[in-house]
Amino acid sequence: MSKLVTTMRKPWLAVNYLVLGLTAAGLAPHRVQPAAAASAPGPQDGDNTACLFCHSQSGLVRLLPNGESLPLTIDASHFIASAHNSLGCVECHTAIPAFPHPEFKAGSLREVSLLFYTTCRQCHQEQYDKALDSVHQKALAAGNTHAAICTDCHNPHTQTPLTDVKTGRLLPEARLNIPQTCARCHNAIYEQYKASVHGSALVGEGNTDVPTCIDCHGVHNIQNPTTASFRLYSPFLCSKCHTDPVIMDKYGISTQVLTTYVADFHGTTVTLFEKTSPDQVTNKPVCFDCHGVHNIQPVNDPQYGLAMKQNLLAACHKCHPDATANFPGAWMSHYIPSLTEYPVVYYVNFFYKIFIPTVIGGMVIYVLSDFTRRLIERRKGVRHV
Amino acid sequence: MSKKQSTSVQTPHQYKRFHWAQRLAHALLLVSFTTLGLTGMPQKYATAGWAEAMVKLFGGIELTRLIHHVAAVSLMLLAIYHLLDIGYKIIVRRSRMSILPGLQDLKDGLQAFLYNLGFRTHRPQMARYTFEEKMEYWALVWGTVIMGFTGFIMWNPLTSIRMLPGEIIPAAKAAHGGEALLAVLAIIIWHMYGVHLRRFNKSMWTGKLSEEEMLHEHPLELADIKAGLAERSIDPGLLRKRRSIYYPVAGVLATAMLFGVYGFVNSENTAITTLPPSSSVVPVYVPQTPTPILTLTPETQPPATALTWDGYVGQLFQHKCSTCHGVSNAMNGLSFATYADILKGSYGSLVILPGNSTGSVLVVKQLAGNHPGQLTTDELDQIKSWIDLGAPER
């Protein structure tokens, strides 16, 4: 036994490091990312060599009671490249401070993750708290152990930095990987997204102008997207990019899509609901009811594109089952009426643009003349005739 | 009836101008018009802050629309009443159609304007309805027709476009909004000035005008009244006869028009009660297979060439056990470095009994689990076979 203690002296150093680490984490919760990015593993990281003494061996696995095997090998090359490379193993694995390890309770791989993920809050309290408010945490609290936790998206041993140290903004290469991360659990949606106008640009062309999952759903505080309030707010999610000329001009896409939608009966209703009663359930369509959610296609797509009249009619039929073939003409397809697009509407607007000032202007002129005349007469003491 | 409708002298200085039914109709028109304006304008300018506040005040957009619709139906019913009333006056009473506009009104208007500018010495002398009143009346008629027509299109879009292109629906909406703005502004400017600001004309509430007011505003009518020309007397027998014809006709017309209103409101439900939009078409939770795992998958060992110490077992032990049980640190006195070492065991006790895998401590330890260096099931099976074969070296 004395021999064991001598051999495993280093883990006790690691415990000391753990205490230091926790104190530092408590004092400065955000120090991790810059520190991780700034410093290569220094001498103090020698602590990890005690753990890596065993855990660097390839093929190290543990059979779990449910028959799954838990791989215990840490690939040092990946870990050194990770955002966590300056951390000691025991800073996260607080429950395993030394060897021999305490009794291991997890019965399955999922239980292992669920046992360990709360350790992330030591440094990532902000993200952890946001995640507590998420649809995933709500599902987990309701007993769905499939619900995503920190480690499902961020492998702590291999996760490279995701944000630019200086700007704090997401790195372009990180954006490219987001859909694959979500696809681990939402693969059917990912398949739809990959085939969509947005997904095919991101996955196929590496175009980071297009939205990834998080642009609409958020990151850690991901909300349930099937609620009435998400639905009412959704046009503003789309319009974040679709009213931005910097992005849209590249592709020749109109930035009037929101104003034209809001000007229409459907959009007016949705906008007013969003402002006055955000939880209102409504059957008035939002962007995704016509354009699709994850499977959005370009409007000129022959099979699904809404510029094809029969496709637009099919979209109308979702809510207006007895709509006739000319019914889609009632929707101005995000156009502002002009001499070439929806000229009847243009002429009506034009008529009132002229007619109202003419009539009202004439009235004002007459009223002013009458008022002035009577005022003069009253001053003069003339009783009007 | 004839007595009540008469515009004859009530008191020496009071002249009856409006019958109580007309005044009631005006009051109802006031309520419905105001309601339509108050609930309609926020819909036209929905994105403005004030519009939002008003919609909130009315209890949300759906309720705002419902109020707007109720007021619209009230206005339609008023219009029906008015049409029947006009019919009665024309067919039964053969009254003068003094509200009809004519060339004289244009002249009166011009003269009034020129007088205001100082180019004429007198205001125009006008009859029962001044050009200002006629203008307002016909503006209301025109407006109500436009609003009813465009309102029908918006209320019944599918019916409306059976014969017409779909584009007329947004066109109707544009016209409805433009006409509404015109009507509201006209009321604020023309009506407010003409009957409230210039002089508070209470005749629409009291039903009467004083002789002075009559003299100022309707001198020609006053002259007619004084000359006994304003009211035509009708033979009671003739009146009865005309009524007996008009009432049934009016009844049929009223029924037809009421059915029209009913149709206006109820003929189409599809645009109002629509299907709920479908939710996501694919299941949400579809994990990728094989499920991605937390840490890197260990490299799989190449299959054994020969199940001997030299062929397989030595390399496996070197790989998985020698960190603790190797040359430099033979933990618990056990080293897996050489074939001889492993047969020697730990401090003299054997860990391998060649030919007896189930009795070998190594196998027992590994089967129990929780050993830092853990062989996979396949590897352990290989080791068991090797021991059972007598643990050959080569």
Side-chain angles (χ1 to χ4, degrees):
Chain A
M1 198 61 193
S2 63
K3 188 162 180 134
L4 174 76
V5 172
T6 327
T7 320
M8 301 303 284
R9 200 174 56 233
K10 284 169 178 173
W12 296 108
L13 285 173
V15 174
N16 291 337
Y17 186 79
L18 163 72
V19 175
L20 283 169
L22 284 178
T23 317
L27 289 171
H30 301 300
R31 91 196 157 88
V32 168
Q33 291 222 348
S39 68
Q44 80 276 21
D45 304 310
D47 306 315
N48 286 345
T49 52
C51 303
L52 291 172
F53 194 69
C54 295
H55 286 280
S56 64
Q57 293 182 59
S58 69
L60 201 60
V61 291
R62 185 190 169 84
L63 289 170
L64 298 173
N66 73 339
E68 291 172 318
S69 48
L70 170 66
L72 294 168
T73 303
I74 295 300
D75 184 323
S77 66
H78 277 98
F79 183 69
I80 284 165
S82 80
H84 293 144
N85 60 11
S86 67
L87 297 184
C89 304
V90 290
E91 284 194 84
C92 298
H93 296 278
T94 51
I96 317 172
F99 189 86
H101 298 331
E103 198 194 341
F104 195 71
K105 293 192 188 72
S108 66
L109 283 174
R110 194 62 191 155
E111 280 180 33
V112 176
S113 302
L114 290 167
L115 270 177
F116 280 112
Y117 84 98
T118 49
T119 202
C120 304
R121 72 196 289 187
Q122 291 181 75
C123 298
H124 303 287
Q125 185 73 47
E126 187 191 338
Q127 287 81 357
Y128 186 87
D129 286 348
K130 274 175 127 182
L132 286 180
D133 188 36
S134 73
V135 67
H136 291 136
Q137 273 292 324
K138 278 171 193 151
L140 187 67
N144 182 350
T145 54
H146 294 309
I149 52 178
C150 314
T151 52
D152 291 318
C153 304
H154 308 283
N155 182 332
H157 299 119
T158 61
Q159 179 69 69
T160 51
L162 293 169
T163 50
D164 188 291
V165 182
K166 283 179 196 142
T167 62
R169 294 183 66 173
L170 201 62
L171 294 165
E173 57 267 31
R175 275 180 72 76
L176 289 175
N177 290 327
I178 290 162
Q180 279 92 325
T181 303
C182 302
R184 289 179 205 159
C185 292
H186 302 293
N187 199 30
I189 290 169
Y190 174 67
E191 289 300 323
Q192 282 197 323
Y193 172 78
K194 214 166 60 174
S196 78
V197 64
H198 295 138
S200 61
L202 185 92
V203 179
E205 303 160 24
N207 183 339
T208 50
D209 281 345
V210 294
T212 68
C213 316
I214 64 166
D215 293 293
C216 301
H217 293 283
V219 190
H220 297 106
N221 55 350
I222 297 159
Q223 295 301 299
N224 179 357
T226 62
T227 59
S229 57
F230 187 92
R231 190 181 151 71
L232 288 179
Y233 185 70
S234 64
F236 299 101
L237 291 177
C238 303
S239 64
K240 257 197 312 191
C241 294
H242 278 276
T243 57
D244 183 355
V246 175
I247 304 174
M248 291 303 131
D249 288 356
K250 282 193 221 171
Y251 309 97
I253 300 173
S254 164
T255 51
Q256 302 288 353
V257 287
L258 182 68
T259 48
T260 48
Y261 168 71
V262 171
D264 175 72
F265 171 81
H266 296 136
T268 306
T269 313
V270 167
T271 316
L272 281 171
F273 275 153
E274 205 276 317
K275 285 176 180 164
T276 58
S277 48
D279 292 323
Q280 175 79 40
V281 175
T282 179
N283 54 13
K284 307 297 180 293
V286 294
C287 313
F288 61 66
D289 289 310
C290 300
H291 291 278
V293 189
H294 301 107
N295 55 350
I296 301 167
Q297 294 300 324
V299 285
N300 55 5
D301 181 87
Q303 203 185 342
Y304 302 105
L306 293 175
M308 311 295 137
K309 210 176 171 194
Q310 71 278 13
N311 297 336
L312 184 57
L313 181 61
C316 296
H317 277 158
K318 284 190 207 167
C319 293
H320 304 277
D322 40 3
T324 49
N326 58 345
F327 188 69
W331 160 242
M332 293 194 283
S333 299
H334 293 291
Y335 282 111
I336 292 171
S338 65
L339 288 170
T340 49
E341 301 292 343
Y342 300 88
V344 177
V345 185
Y346 175 82
Y347 284 124
V348 168
N349 283 329
F350 182 75
F351 171 74
Y352 281 103
K353 220 178 204 169
I354 305 296
F355 192 56
I356 294 175
T358 309
V359 172
I360 299 302
M363 285 177 171
V364 168
I365 290 169
Y366 177 78
V367 163
L368 284 177
S369 76
D370 197 77
F371 181 76
T372 318
R373 182 74 191 185
R374 281 168 204 271
L375 205 67
I376 292 166
E377 284 174 356
R378 193 172 295 176
R379 288 255 171 91
K380 287 181 179 168
V382 179
R383 286 185 56 94
H384 64 90
V385 189
Chain B
M1 193 76 178
S2 67
K3 261 182 193 169
K4 274 182 187 171
Q5 274 217 328
S6 118
T7 48
S8 61
V9 183
Q10 298 279 307
T11 64
H13 298 293
Q14 292 284 307
Y15 293 84
K16 178 118 188 174
R17 184 158 172 81
F18 296 115
H19 183 243
W20 67 266
Q22 288 174 303
R23 284 180 272 150
L24 180 63
H26 172 267
L28 293 174
L29 177 64
L30 167 69
V31 172
S32 66
F33 184 93
T34 310
T35 309
L36 283 165
L38 288 175
T39 52
M41 281 299 143
Q43 295 186 61
K44 179 169 165 60
Y45 298 102
T47 48
W50 60 265
E52 204 183 299
M54 280 179 76
V55 166
K56 225 172 203 171
L57 194 73
F58 290 122
I61 180 63
E62 298 283 36
L63 209 53
T64 307
R65 288 199 177 115
L66 182 67
I67 298 168
H68 194 78
H69 287 171
V70 170
V73 171
S74 313
L75 188 59
M76 285 188 260
L77 295 177
L78 269 173
I80 290 172
Y81 162 77
H82 188 63
L83 284 173
L84 295 172
D85 188 37
I86 290 169
Y88 180 83
K89 279 175 183 149
I90 295 170
I91 294 161
V92 180
R93 294 204 61 85
R94 308 278 159 99
S95 306
R96 270 196 229 170
M97 288 182 263
S98 47
I99 196 85
L100 279 184
L103 195 61
Q104 187 55 45
D105 296 300
L106 207 63
K107 289 179 183 167
D108 288 348
L110 194 64
Q111 191 182 333
F113 186 56
L114 291 173
Y115 169 78
N116 289 343
L117 298 180
F119 297 117
R120 293 286 184 280
T121 52
H122 290 283
R123 285 209 162 78
Q125 302 231 316
M126 289 178 281
R128 177 162 171 82
Y129 295 111
T130 67
F131 79 92
E132 289 128 317
E133 288 163 340
K134 286 185 190 180
M135 203 170 114
E136 181 154 351
Y137 175 80
W138 288 105
L140 177 69
V141 171
W142 149 274
T144 307
V145 169
I146 297 276
M147 297 308 267
F149 182 68
T150 54
F152 177 85
I153 293 173
M154 287 193 285
W155 203 322
N156 304 283
L158 294 177
T159 313
S160 307
I161 59 162
R162 242 169 242 161
M163 316 294 260
L164 294 162
E167 195 186 346
I168 64 139
I169 296 169
K173 190 173 164 233
H176 202 82
E179 194 60 37
L181 183 61
L182 181 63
V184 168
L185 290 176
I187 286 293
I188 291 172
I189 294 161
W190 200 247
H191 188 78
M192 287 295 159
Y193 180 74
V195 301
H196 297 296
L197 268 178
R198 187 165 68 184
R199 185 194 301 120
F200 210 116
N201 185 334
K202 299 189 191 71
S203 64
M204 204 32 114
W205 302 99
T206 62
K208 293 165 195 155
L209 277 180
S210 69
E211 179 145 2
E212 196 199 356
E213 285 170 319
M214 284 298 283
L215 190 64
H216 290 150
E217 294 188 7
H218 309 286
L220 298 184
E221 187 193 14
L222 186 65
D224 275 359
I225 292 167
K226 293 207 163 167
L229 296 170
E231 184 68 12
R232 291 184 211 176
S233 58
I234 307 166
D235 173 64
L238 190 61
L239 193 67
R240 213 174 298 123
K241 194 183 150 204
R242 284 179 190 164
R243 277 179 181 165
S244 69
I245 296 164
Y246 182 69
Y247 283 167
V249 173
V252 172
L253 281 175
T255 313
M257 287 189 285
L258 287 174
F259 263 108
V261 172
Y262 182 81
F264 194 119
V265 176
N266 282 299
S267 72
E268 195 174 302
N269 281 326
T270 177
I272 298 160
T273 316
T274 54
L275 302 172
S278 55
S279 51
S280 181
V281 280
V282 294
V284 173
Y285 178 66
V286 181
Q288 283 177 336
T289 45
T291 314
I293 45 173
L294 192 66
T295 49
L296 295 171
T297 320
E299 301 153 27
T300 45
Q301 291 291 311
T305 45
L307 201 51
T308 60
W309 175 264
D310 287 351
Y312 172 71
V313 179
Q315 285 166 38
L316 179 68
F317 283 167
Q318 167 70 29
H319 196 65
K320 301 209 88 167
C321 312
S322 63
T323 314
C324 301
H325 304 291
V327 184
S328 54
N329 47 353
M331 200 181 283
N332 290 350
L334 180 63
S335 170
F336 285 24
T338 64
Y339 185 65
D341 284 340
I342 190 165
L343 288 182
K344 216 162 61 186
S346 164
Y347 299 129
S349 62
L350 297 176
V351 293
I352 286 174
L353 306 172
N356 179 8
S357 66
T358 46
S360 298
V361 175
L362 185 147
V363 175
V364 173
K365 279 261 186 193
Q366 283 289 321
L367 279 175
N370 207 22
H371 188 86
Q374 182 71 44
L375 301 174
T376 66
T377 320
D378 285 348
E379 288 163 349
L380 190 55
D381 284 346
Q382 295 279 321
I383 296 301
K384 275 153 73 178
S385 308
W386 174 67
I387 295 170
D388 288 337
L389 285 170
E393 186 178 6
R394 51 178 73 87

